[in-house]
């Protein structure tokens, strides 16, 4: 399947204040002419950005008949990079879910009614942010579909992130990543240092997500190199109404490794729960 191209030249910027320092956020609307349609909000992975989604958000929005909103978190893409020497805390994903994302929605003028019809689509760290947002603001979304999320730390996750660091520092991976970020080191080491912080080994959000009320779809591949199916099983144990999709021949990026299966699953899920 050929994905439609995504150009970072179509992105816009907005400034957020109220944190440790003002940040400029890169964002992109998809199908903006569908002013009355629900919003599908895309939350990228730990090394992602607006551009790294490539054409998949547009493909899914067209399938769902939704408007789409994608953005690069601070430190990523063309958003404000991390400040020199800044290290993200253990609860950096909580900060993104509880502070940065709501501030962005406020800045973009999304009212309560629009938020109540909003679908969160998250991958990896973005899936975790979606879970944390849904648990903190249980009425301020319609539902969430997440891929390869993390709810606790497994040894294989740490091993995978350590391998990623070695690859970044010894191969051309850094140059490839630079094509998608104004500051590749900001994106990579923000994510990598946080996950390899010894204090992060005890990070676990399974109790927090029990407060999720809205429909939840969680997708993961059996060949995920960063986590086992225990992640999805823990989600189901905490959120009984969660629906799980477990994919064979699929690694850490289901939307790339199993595009048709993922699109079919999300479309059926949204259709079943849409007002």
């Amino acid at each position: 399947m050929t994905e439609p191209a995504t150009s970072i030249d179509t992105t816009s910027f907005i400034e957020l204040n109220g944190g440790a320092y003002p940040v400029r956020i890169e964002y992109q609307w998809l199908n903006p002419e569908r002013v009355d349609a629900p919003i599908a909000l895309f939350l990228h992975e730990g090394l992602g950005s607006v551009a790294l989604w490539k054409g998949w958000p547009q493909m899914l929005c067209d399938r769902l008949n939704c408007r789409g909103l994608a953005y690069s978190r601070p430190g990523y893409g063309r958003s404000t990079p991390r400040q020199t020497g800044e290290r993200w805390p253990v609860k950096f994903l909580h900060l993104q879910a509880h502070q940065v994302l709501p501030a962005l929605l406020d800045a973009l003028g999304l009212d309560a009614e629009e938020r109540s019809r909003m679908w969160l689509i998250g991958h990896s760290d973005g899936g975790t942010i979606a879970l944390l947002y849904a648990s903190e603001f249980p009425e301020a979304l319609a539902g969430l579909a997440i891929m390869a999320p993390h709810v606790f730390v497994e040894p294989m996750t740490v091993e995978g992130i350590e391998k990623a660091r070695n690859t970044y520092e010894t191969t051309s991976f850094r140059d490839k990543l630079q094509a998608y970020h104004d500051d590749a080191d900001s994106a990579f080491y923000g994510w990598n240092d946080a996950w390899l912080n010894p204090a992060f080994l005890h990070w676990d959000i399974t109790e927090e997500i029990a407060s999720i009320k809205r429909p939840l779809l969680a997708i993961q591949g059996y060949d995920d190199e960063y986590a086992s199916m225990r992640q999805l099983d823990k989600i189901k144990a905490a959120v009984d109404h969660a629906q799980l999709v477990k994919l064979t021949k699929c690694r850490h990026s289901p939307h790339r490794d199993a595009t048709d299966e993922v699109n079919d699953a999300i479309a059926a899920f949204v259709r079943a729960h849409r007002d």
Side-chain angles (χ1 to χ4, degrees):
M1 178 178 292
T2 301
E3 292 187 354
T6 296
S7 171
I8 61 173
D9 293 335
T10 63
T11 59
S12 301
F13 298 91
I14 195 165
E15 187 168 288
L16 302 184
N17 295 290
Y21 55 89
V23 293
R24 186 182 78 154
I25 297 292
E26 172 194 27
Y27 69 97
Q28 182 180 50
W29 282 108
L30 304 170
N31 302 332
E33 71 282 358
R34 297 177 181 170
V35 293
D36 295 325
I39 294 168
L41 191 153
F42 293 85
L43 298 160
H44 63 72
E45 63 181 304
L47 294 178
S49 66
V50 169
L52 259 170
W53 280 115
K54 300 187 177 179
W56 183 70
Q58 183 67 63
M59 185 190 304
L60 187 63
C61 285
D62 290 344
R63 179 77 178 270
L64 300 178
N65 294 315
C66 279
R67 280 185 289 164
L69 175 61
Y71 72 100
S72 299
R73 297 192 293 275
Y76 295 95
R78 299 169 69 190
S79 295
T80 301
R82 288 181 303 122
Q83 291 189 326
T84 302
E86 178 185 1
R87 293 178 69 91
W88 292 342
V90 170
K91 287 201 168 187
F92 77 104
L93 295 171
H94 287 76
L95 293 175
Q96 293 300 320
H98 297 169
Q99 298 181 22
V100 177
L101 176 53
L104 175 63
L105 299 178
D106 287 344
L108 293 175
L110 272 65
D111 61 25
E113 192 275 335
E114 288 178 296
R115 297 186 201 197
S116 71
R117 299 170 64 223
M118 176 177 69
W119 295 88
L120 301 184
I121 314 292
H123 174 218
S124 192
D125 278 12
T128 301
I129 291 168
L131 288 168
L132 289 167
Y133 177 91
S135 62
E136 182 75 5
F137 307 102
E139 307 296 337
L141 74 164
L144 58 162
I146 56 177
M147 303 173 291
H150 305 282
V151 294
F152 71 105
V153 179
E154 297 181 82
M156 66 181 298
T157 307
V158 176
E159 291 170 8
I161 292 172
E162 287 174 339
K163 289 179 182 178
R165 190 183 193 103
N166 182 65
T167 300
Y168 185 79
E169 293 177 345
T170 62
T171 71
S172 62
F173 181 41
R174 182 184 184 280
D175 294 333
K176 293 176 181 177
L177 204 61
Q178 189 65 51
Y180 299 98
H181 303 281
D182 282 351
D183 186 337
D185 286 350
S186 167
F188 183 83
Y189 288 111
W191 163 78
N192 199 261
D193 287 347
W195 274 91
L196 294 183
N197 181 343
F200 202 72
L201 293 172
H202 307 291
W203 176 88
D204 187 322
I205 63 167
T206 50
E207 291 186 3
E208 291 178 59
I209 65 174
S211 61
I212 293 175
K213 297 179 179 180
R214 297 304 195 200
L216 166 59
L217 174 69
I219 302 169
Q220 187 171 332
Y222 278 104
D223 298 322
D224 191 325
E225 60 271 39
Y226 286 102
S228 75
M229 281 297 171
R230 291 180 63 206
Q231 300 290 335
L232 260 59
D233 295 339
K234 287 267 195 177
I235 290 171
K236 179 66 175 177
V239 186
D240 184 63
H241 65 267
Q243 298 173 232
L244 307 183
V245 174
K246 300 180 178 182
L247 299 170
T248 59
K249 298 180 181 179
C250 177
R251 288 166 61 85
H252 189 60
S253 300
H255 59 298
R256 291 194 288 267
D257 295 345
T259 305
D260 291 340
E261 293 93 330
V262 167
N263 289 352
D264 288 347
I266 294 177
F269 167 73
V270 171
R271 190 183 311 115
H273 296 286
R274 209 174 208 171
D275 293 337

